[in-house]
Structure formats: structure tokens, C-alpha cells
Amino acid sequence: MAKYNCITLKVKNGELEGFNKLRQPEQINLRNGNVVYIYKGTKSNKIYIGQTKHFTERNKQHYNGQEKKFNIADFDQVIILISTYFNGSALDDVESQLITYFMADNPKSKKQLVQYDNDEIINRTNGNSVNDYRDREKVASEVILPFWEKELYPNGWVGTPTLEELRNKALVKYSPIKELTIQQMDLLKEIESNPDKSFVINGDAGTGKTVLLTHMVAKLLKEKPNQRIAVVLQPNWIKTAKDIFRVYGMNNSNLTLATSTQLINADENYDVVIVDESHKLSRKFPKQMASFNEVYKGRFAQDENHLDALKKLGSQIVLMYDILQAIRPANITRVQFHEATKDFEKRYLTTQFRIQAPAGKNYTSEDFVNGIKYLLYKDTGLLGQTNFNSKFDRTVFQDSDADAYFGYFETEPLNWDSTIN
């Protein structure tokens, strides 16, 4: 049994053609039900995505002459998505996901074809968390996926037949309108509220550091548009980052995307400098690429690494860092990083990796990840500098239940070294 329903109507001069021919329950849903809606212009190819609890009234508001985008977009049809799962959090989530997927479906367009209430979305994704609302996984599998693959694609609303093709694209994975976890939101608020403090955000791979970065940039551009912001990226990520901010309408003359070498050579000052993968920043090193070493001149002549130089360029520095990442000889050493950030606030992101524990079991994905960390890094001396929890539930590695998935140790399961904490 389908967990959603969708209604498609023609739109002419703001009027919903065929509304009176709908069944009474459908009319009631459009008047007073939780819905996500998508307008489309056949000639303009423009899309507008929104959500509301009173669609017929919202449609009138869109066409009251006050919204410029509706005056010029020439929308001629609208599809309304309805589901018994929809409540406040689910509506926010589905709207954000559909916007993200539509953006990724048409990333190369030079025109902003996919539109939405940008101010409302940016405010909401930095103010609410829907990451763990009830039935979120069911909404994804029973509503969003079939709606896209059985309704939108067959009827020409989108060009990508399956969501699987989109999910690994950077525009989806690092979307600046993606819903944040409570922890990510708390960090975002703390950083924004303390411009006189600099931060190290330490997290393993997959904990959401880059998502936090894109949200931070989006929020700063909106709420502090006169501030100069620099984002330091690895060379192979510059183009992707530019695409992300272009597609989501966040091009701004006060935003600079550059490598550390480019930013230091330009020698300009910024209100905020955000560094992705700061563990990969370069240091003075004989076998270093020549261009990386050539930055040490002028006011940077005495610096020993790129981080020391970057600190001189920004009033506030935010570093995305993973202490467990392998360090190359030419990268800043852990000792140098520790010294350079001794006055920084240190914060830790926990993993977003999730597992489904068998019925009656109490262990979680965090127990699994902490166990893996212990096995891999127990002899490195690094665990004390992460969010490692030595009291993790070891039964996740000892469970012989076939549904446990991970397998288990038959002998000496995770013998504990009490000197590691």
C-alpha cells in the first residue's frame, strides 16, 4: 500500500485548474493538510519547491503580485505530495531533500532553474534538527524514493531515473541546505556567536565536517553579508566547491575559495578563514613542492607552516581536522598543529555511521566505531586526542547472532589495555 499520494494540477494565471473536480478528501488535504509542492514552468523550465499546511492559501500568496519569481517564472503546473508521515519535521526534511536532488539533477545549468525560499531554508537548516525524527527512514524509502522514480521521472519532471545516481554526488552529500544534526547545529551557533575565538573541529571521516563547512559559509553569507570569508581547500576540491556554492545561489564577492598557497600569496585579510582538511596543510620541508615553500616571505618569512601564515590572514580561524588521518612528510606535523592551535577552542564531531542492532541488543554504532578505533590506533597515542570512549559496549564484537552482521571474535575479544583512555 502506497504511503503517499500526489496530485497534479494545471496552473493558469495563479488559478488551480481542475481543483473543483478533485474528490472531497483531496480538496480538504490541499486546503488544510501538510504537503510538499513543486511548481514547474514548461517553457521556462523553472522549478519552485515549497511546503505548507494550507496549500490553496499558499498558492494565492505566491500569486498575489508580491513574489517576483512567480510573476516571471511562467509556472503552468504543480504537483502536490501528500503523506500520512508528514508532520513539521518530515515536511522540512522532504522539502530540503527534494531541493537538493533537483539541484543535483540539473547542476550544469547557467540559470538558477530550481528556486525556493532561500532565507527560510537557510534559517531553518541552521535552527532545527530533523535528523532523528520518527519514521525518517520510512519517509526516505516509502515516500521520497518512489515519488521520484515512479512519479517525477516518468512524467518528465526530472532527468535522472533513480536517486541512487544522485546520492553520491557532491551537490547532495555536501548540500548547504541539508538537515544538520543537533551537534552540528550547536557547533555552528557557538562559532558564529564567538567571532573572537578560533576553533578546531576534530572528527573522523564521515562525521560531517564538510557539511558543517558549507552550512557555515551559507549562514555567514546570509547573516553577515559584509564580512569577508575565505575557504581553504585542497586543489582537487576547488571546482567542486565552486559548483556547490554556484548551484545553491551563494556566489558572493566577499567569498574566496582558494588553496592555502593561493590565499597566502594574495596576502589579504579576512573576517573568517575556514580550512577544510587542515591536517593536510603544508610545512617547510626540503622535498616540498617549490610553490608551497615560496609563500614564506614578507610577513610570513619566519613561519614554519601554512597554518601559521593563515592565522595572520583571519580574525577568526575555523579548522576542520582529523587527527587520525595519515600525515605525509610534507604536511604539518601533529606537534606543529598542536602548538599552532594551543589557544583555539577544541570541539569534536561524533560519527554519523549508523547500524541497526538486533532486537534485544543494547549496543550502538558508536560502540562499533569506538571498537574499530581501539583496534587500529591503540598503540599510536592518538586516541586521547579524539572523542574515543573507552567504555564502549564490546558485545557488538562478541555477538554470535546471525543478524549481528559484523561477525565476532571467538578468542580474546578486544582484550583491554587499561593504560589507554
Side-chain angles (χ1 to χ4, degrees):
M1 182 178 178
K3 298 297 183 180
Y4 73 93
N5 183 32
C6 58
I7 300 169
T8 303
L9 296 172
K10 297 291 185 182
V11 180
K12 187 174 182 179
N13 298 323
E15 297 294 325
L16 300 171
E17 295 188 338
F19 176 80
N20 292 330
K21 296 180 180 180
L22 295 175
R23 295 181 298 111
Q24 193 67 21
E26 292 177 323
Q27 292 187 24
I28 292 173
N29 266 324
L30 297 195
R31 288 194 180 101
N32 297 298
N34 293 327
V35 304
V36 174
Y37 58 90
I38 307 170
Y39 289 94
K40 179 182 178 181
T42 303
K43 294 182 180 179
S44 66
N45 287 323
K46 289 188 174 182
I47 294 287
Y48 184 93
I49 302 173
Q51 53 125 316
T52 182
K53 296 180 181 179
H54 308 284
F55 175 70
T56 53
E57 184 62 29
R58 187 73 181 105
N59 180 72
K60 291 178 183 178
Q61 293 171 355
H62 282 314
Y63 283 98
N64 65 7
Q66 300 300 311
E67 297 189 33
K68 184 178 179 181
K69 59 173 68 76
F70 272 79
N71 297 335
I72 63 176
D74 195 23
F75 295 126
D76 56 9
Q77 55 184 315
V78 62
I79 186 168
I80 305 103
L81 177 62
I82 304 164
S83 175
T84 55
Y85 289 132
F86 284 178
N87 52 41
S89 292
L91 283 178
D92 292 347
D93 186 32
V94 173
E95 179 190 20
S96 294
Q97 287 200 51
L98 286 175
I99 291 169
T100 299
Y101 287 135
F102 266 86
M103 292 286 198
D105 184 57
N106 194 17
K108 296 183 180 179
S109 172
K110 294 182 180 180
K111 296 181 179 179
Q112 192 72 29
L113 296 181
V114 181
Q115 302 174 341
Y116 52 95
D117 188 335
N118 185 67
D119 288 348
E120 189 271 335
I121 291 286
I122 296 300
N123 280 337
R124 192 185 71 230
T125 55
N126 291 305
N128 293 318
S129 170
V130 301
N131 198 57
D132 294 317
Y133 71 83
R134 182 181 178 184
D135 294 327
R136 187 168 194 252
E137 292 183 3
K138 290 182 179 179
V139 167
S141 62
E142 299 177 14
V143 179
I144 299 176
L145 188 147
F147 177 59
W148 183 280
E149 297 181 1
K150 296 181 179 180
E151 311 292 344
L152 295 176
Y153 177 72
N155 291 297
W157 287 73
V158 296
T160 307
T162 68
L163 289 183
E164 190 64 32
E165 295 179 47
L166 298 176
R167 283 178 177 150
N168 288 324
K169 289 189 176 182
L171 289 174
V172 173
K173 291 173 66 176
Y174 308 119
S175 164
I177 63 170
K178 199 172 190 176
E179 298 292 345
L180 296 176
T181 65
I182 293 175
Q183 185 186 38
Q184 287 171 320
M185 287 190 305
D186 288 344
L187 282 173
L188 195 61
K189 291 175 183 176
E190 183 181 9
I191 292 168
E192 185 189 22
S193 301
N194 295 277
D196 56 333
K197 294 182 180 180
S198 291
F199 292 81
V200 175
I201 309 301
N202 194 348
D204 306 340
T207 53
K209 298 187 295 296
T210 304
V211 171
L212 182 64
L213 183 154
T214 60
H215 277 73
M216 192 182 309
V217 172
K219 190 170 180 62
L220 289 172
L221 288 177
K222 178 187 178 297
E223 298 188 357
K224 300 179 180 180
N226 295 322
Q227 284 199 349
R228 300 195 70 204
I229 304 164
V231 182
V232 176
L233 302 158
Q234 293 298 303
N236 63 348
W237 224 76
I238 294 285
K239 181 180 183 302
T240 299
K242 288 181 177 179
D243 286 343
I244 289 173
F245 291 115
R246 173 187 61 80
V247 167
Y248 287 98
M250 296 173 190
N251 289 334
N252 188 299
S253 59
N254 285 331
L255 174 63
T256 298
L257 305 178
T259 65
S260 59
T261 301
Q262 291 169 339
L263 203 69
I264 296 167
N265 283 331
D267 195 5
E268 297 182 6
N269 294 325
Y270 295 86
D271 295 285
V272 185
V273 175
I274 307 168
V275 184
D276 196 27
E277 296 194 287
S278 58
H279 47 275
K280 293 183 178 179
L281 288 173
S282 298
R283 67 183 177 101
K284 281 183 179 176
F285 188 67
K287 298 181 180 180
Q288 182 68 271
M289 287 182 61
S291 61
F292 291 0
N293 276 336
E294 288 170 358
V295 303
Y296 303 112
K297 56 190 176 184
R299 61 170 170 160
F300 311 119
Q302 302 304 312
D303 294 332
E304 293 297 319
N305 53 72
H306 282 199
L307 178 52
D308 286 339
L310 292 172
K311 286 167 60 181
K312 297 176 181 178
L313 301 179
S315 300
Q316 182 183 43
I317 309 294
V318 181
L319 305 175
M320 304 300 171
Y321 185 62
D322 184 353
I323 195 171
L324 300 181
Q325 286 274 359
I327 304 297
R328 295 180 178 179
N331 294 150
I332 185 172
T333 67
R334 292 188 177 98
V335 172
Q336 287 178 322
F337 189 92
H338 179 74
E339 177 63 24
T341 59
K342 61 185 179 182
D343 296 325
F344 284 41
E345 299 293 320
K346 309 297 195 305
R347 300 293 182 266
Y348 300 95
L349 281 171
T350 55
T351 183
Q352 292 178 326
F353 182 78
R354 299 172 68 185
I355 63 172
Q356 182 72 38
K361 308 298 181 181
N362 294 320
Y363 52 72
T364 69
S365 58
E366 291 301 318
D367 297 315
F368 176 71
V369 172
N370 277 299
I372 296 299
K373 281 184 183 177
Y374 174 69
L375 290 170
L376 293 177
Y377 301 106
K378 63 186 179 69
D379 299 319
T380 66
L382 298 175
L383 289 176
Q385 301 176 57
T386 72
N387 60 346
F388 172 70
N389 180 5
S390 62
K391 297 181 180 179
F392 65 93
D393 187 344
R394 289 160 184 73
T395 60
V396 67
F397 295 95
Q398 301 165 349
D399 194 342
S400 59
D401 191 320
D403 293 331
Y405 176 73
F406 301 108
Y408 64 101
F409 289 89
E410 294 183 346
T411 59
E412 299 184 354
L414 288 174
N415 284 340
W416 182 244
D417 183 347
S418 61
T419 64
I420 296 177
N421 51 44

